[in-house]
Amino acid sequence: MKVAIAGAGAVGRAIARELLVNEHDVTLFERDRTHIDPVAVPGANWVHADACELSDLELAQLQTFDVMIAATGDDKANLVVSLLATTEFAVNRVVARVNDPRNEWLFNEDWGVDVAVSTPRMLASLVEEAVTVGDLVRLMTFRQGQANLVELTLPNDTPLAGKAVRRLQLPRDVALVAIIRGRRVIVPQPDDSLEGGDELVFVAPEESEDELHRTIKTPI
């Protein structure tokens, strides 16, 4: 993919390095010339530009990119970048960093954000996951359809042990996308059986989360 990253601080550079390992075409946009350091991220393209300025994005031909990642340390800037990328340049995928969790409610489709990534929320989710077996933990929120990525760890004495995935009566628009068993990541097939300790990862609309939780806790 051709990926644009707004903000070449520690976060933006780290993201760029990871994407380059996977052989993506990465361009870093940085408005502070003193922060431009091609040696720090070998293989990345660097553009001295303000990603909040429409004219700078036009010069960089942002419409030719597949993904925009708004990774600055300023939530206001990340929202503006996201909105411009979506409305002015029709970028297919916009991912935005949320620095202050209190601003997370703004990072939605109204501002052109497909996926909002809040480090505090993700850390809190991981803590919850570690201590709440049997409870539903929200890991990430997506824009389209207001769906969430949620996880539930089956207790060791779950009544679902030995049951096939096809027997799960999931709520409408809920999909089981992965089963994490120890170090294995299993793409669930209808005849795969569940085990105590499995981490089940779902994509689910927010309004279906309570019903999903009840479904998984109810014996089948």
Side-chain angles (χ1 to χ4, degrees):
M1 293 183 296
K2 191 174 181 182
V3 183
I5 301 176
V11 173
R13 294 183 185 192
I15 295 169
R17 293 188 192 102
E18 291 294 326
L19 291 171
L20 287 166
V21 168
N22 292 318
E23 301 183 349
H24 296 296
D25 182 353
V26 178
T27 299
L28 286 156
F29 290 72
E30 177 53 54
R31 67 178 182 177
D32 187 341
R33 190 178 294 275
T34 63
H35 288 174
I36 295 178
D37 183 8
V39 177
V41 191
N45 305 306
W46 290 74
V47 175
H48 178 223
D50 185 345
C52 292
E53 290 291 336
L54 182 62
S55 58
D56 285 359
L57 296 177
E58 288 175 340
L59 286 173
Q61 296 185 317
L62 189 65
Q63 69 275 9
T64 65
F65 286 77
D66 301 300
V67 180
M68 165 58 87
I69 301 174
T72 79
D74 185 334
D75 284 345
K76 295 188 293 295
N78 289 341
L79 287 170
V80 171
V81 169
S82 300
L83 186 63
L84 290 176
T86 299
T87 60
E88 299 296 329
F89 299 95
V91 176
N92 290 332
R93 189 74 164 168
V94 176
V95 180
R97 172 189 178 188
V98 183
N99 296 277
D100 187 339
R102 292 173 296 182
N103 296 330
E104 191 171 3
W105 64 278
L106 288 166
F107 286 74
N108 56 35
E109 61 182 348
D110 293 336
W111 283 93
V113 178
D114 290 305
V115 179
V117 180
S118 170
T119 301
R121 174 182 284 277
M122 292 186 73
L123 289 173
S125 296
L126 291 171
V127 171
E128 290 179 12
E129 178 188 354
V131 298
T132 55
V133 173
D135 288 338
L136 205 65
V137 178
R138 185 179 299 174
L139 301 176
M140 185 178 293
T141 299
F142 302 100
R143 185 193 73 174
Q144 295 179 353
Q146 299 298 314
N148 299 316
L149 188 69
V150 298
E151 182 270 352
L152 185 145
T153 300
L154 297 177
N156 290 329
D157 60 351
T158 176
L160 296 177
K163 307 295 185 182
V165 167
R166 57 182 164 75
R167 295 189 60 186
L168 290 175
Q169 301 297 316
L170 298 178
R172 182 179 178 182
D173 297 329
V174 173
L176 175 63
V177 295
I179 300 171
I180 302 174
R181 183 174 296 157
R183 296 186 177 183
R184 294 179 60 201
V185 177
I186 302 169
V187 178
Q189 302 299 317
D191 292 329
D192 288 340
S193 61
L194 301 170
E195 296 180 6
D198 282 352
E199 297 178 45
L200 307 184
V201 181
F202 301 89
V203 174
E206 183 174 353
E207 62 271 16
S208 299
E209 289 182 5
D210 289 343
E211 184 181 353
L212 171 62
H213 192 201
R214 290 193 299 270
T215 297
I216 298 301
K217 293 179 68 176
T218 302
I220 58 176

